Amino acid sequence: MNYTKEQIIAYCNEFSKNTLMETLKIEYIDAGEDFLTAKMPVNPSVHQPMGLLHGGASAALAESVGSAASHFFINAKEQEVRGIEISANHLKSIREGVVFGTAKIIHKGKSLHLWEIKITDEAGNLISLCKLTNIVLEKKKTE
């Protein structure tokens, strides 16, 4: 990576504007050589009918942070990233507060990136464990 922590966080938060990430109030807060972390508030806007964090909101957080992280391992002028598979094991429920999604690279290939995303609460309890596979594609040339 040829970016500072501050540049990565600023870039991720900027490209999240007017997207699902902004709707869910996902904010990127930390980055390093092999990880990216974002946070998301847990409130009624991300609840399922029983008043708990919706598994789909957790999956959206996981895919958002894992996909964003892959961008820092590609040549963005010539390549783009697409999520092709995500799995999530929801281990603990939460009704309010904040959750943190941290994506760590498991495999960084030329065409595939595999990420493990741990979603934790403010006390560090594991809420969900997710796995995301991204494909790296060559951008189509426009004539």
Side-chain angles (χ1 to χ4, degrees), residues 31-46:
E33 286 295 318
D34 66 345
F35 77 94
L36 181 63
T37 300
K39 68 178 183 175
M40 180 179 71
V42 179
N43 56 46
S45 70
V46 295

Side-chain angles (χ1 to χ4, degrees), residues 1 4 7 9 23 27 29 39-40 51 64 68 71 78 80 84 86-87 95 101 104 108-109 116 119 130 133 143:
M1 259 192 239
T4 67
Q7 288 172 318
I9 293 168
T23 301
E27 179 186 356
I29 59 168
K39 68 178 183 175
M40 180 179 71
S64 297
H71 282 91
E78 298 177 9
E80 55 193 9
I84 58 172
I86 188 166
S87 65
R95 293 183 183 276
K104 290 192 176 182
K108 181 179 67 169
E116 174 187 76
I119 298 176
C130 307
T133 305
E143 298 180 65

Side-chain angles (χ1 to χ4, degrees), residues 11 20-21 32 41 52 72 79-80 100 106 110 121 123 136:
Y11 177 81
L20 179 65
M21 285 82 79
L52 303 170
F72 296 98
Q79 299 172 308
E80 55 193 9
F100 302 88
I106 296 171
K110 288 182 182 179
D121 65 14
V136 179

Side-chain angles (χ1 to χ4, degrees), residues 74-80 137-142:
I74 66 168
N75 177 345
K77 291 179 182 176
E78 298 177 9
Q79 299 172 308
E80 55 193 9
L137 300 170
E138 296 298 317
K139 284 186 176 178
K140 293 184 179 176
K141 305 217 186 306
T142 55

Side-chain angles (χ1 to χ4, degrees), residues 78-98:
E78 298 177 9
Q79 299 172 308
E80 55 193 9
V81 175
R82 298 281 186 274
I84 58 172
E85 182 179 11
I86 188 166
S87 65
N89 293 97
H90 307 299
L91 306 169
K92 186 173 173 62
S93 59
I94 183 172
R95 293 183 183 276
E96 59 184 15
V98 176

